[in-house]
Structure formats: C-alpha cells, structure tokens
Amino acid sequence: MRAIILLVIGLAVGAIAASYAANTMAARHAYTRGVMAIMGHHVSALGAQAKAGQCPADASLDHLRRINGAAAEIEPAFAGADPDFFKHAHALTDAAAATLANPPADCPALKLAMAKVGETCKSCHELYR
C-alpha cells in the first residue's frame, strides 16, 4: 500500500515538474512570437483597410509606424539566427522604412506598398518558417 501511495505521489510531482519545464521552454520563444504577432496584426489591419476600400492616411500611417517598429525588433528577437536570416530582416526593415518615408495616400498606393513589404516577409518565411 505504501508503495502505491509513493508511486502516485511520485507521478504527481513528476507531472508538475514536467509542466513547469514545458512552460519554461515555451516562454523562451515568447519575444520572437510576439514580434511576429504584432507585425502580422498590423499587416492584416492594412490589408483589411485596402480590401474595404477605406484607406485613411492617418490610420494607415499608424499601422505603418508599428510595422516599422516591429521590423526593427526582429534582429534582437532572433539573436543568434543564421546570418542570411538577417539579410531578409534588413530587407523588411528597408521596405518598411521606405513605405513609411513615402506613406500611401490612397488604397491603390497602400496595396502597392504592402505588396513590397509582403514580398520581403514571404521570402523569409519560405526559408525560415
């Protein structure tokens, strides 16, 4: 009887320890996932604006600023990654900065600008995602 009780206690402690270990392992990637989630949110928001045909310059500019900020966070978030990865990250940063420097005034210009940004995202995701 004592052996069964010790076995159950051992299994419970092991399950709790495994849960803590799994949470710790997942937390180490929170920053990288967060940067990509923020960027994805703002890219999606701009896509929805363009699809709806409502592209107010001030709202678009706010999303573009946030995309540019998230793009600047890629290098610190993925520290230690393949050097070629950072070439793609710099291309995204350059595309986001260029779009921010000359913000689109209407939906066709927004679609064109986001196509350029999207190409840089796609080129990296094809290799590293």
Side-chain angles (χ1 to χ4, degrees), residues 64-124:
L64 291 170
R65 283 186 185 127
R66 293 174 189 269
I67 291 169
N68 191 42
E73 289 291 321
I74 290 175
E75 193 163 346
F78 291 89
D82 183 36
D84 187 52
F85 173 82
F86 294 117
K87 290 178 186 175
H88 291 280
H90 290 296
L92 173 61
T93 304
D94 293 344
T99 301
L100 191 57
N102 188 16
D106 56 12
C107 286
L110 179 62
K111 288 179 182 178
L112 181 63
M114 290 312 297
K116 292 177 183 176
V117 171
E119 286 175 20
T120 60
C121 291
K122 183 180 176 184
S123 70
C124 188

Side-chain angles (χ1 to χ4, degrees), residues 13 22 27 29 32 39 60-61 68-69 72 88-90 96 99 103 117 125 129:
V13 169
H29 297 295
T32 56
M39 186 159 328
S60 297
L61 189 59
N68 191 42
H88 291 280
H90 290 296
T99 301
V117 171
H125 281 213
R129 191 168 185 194

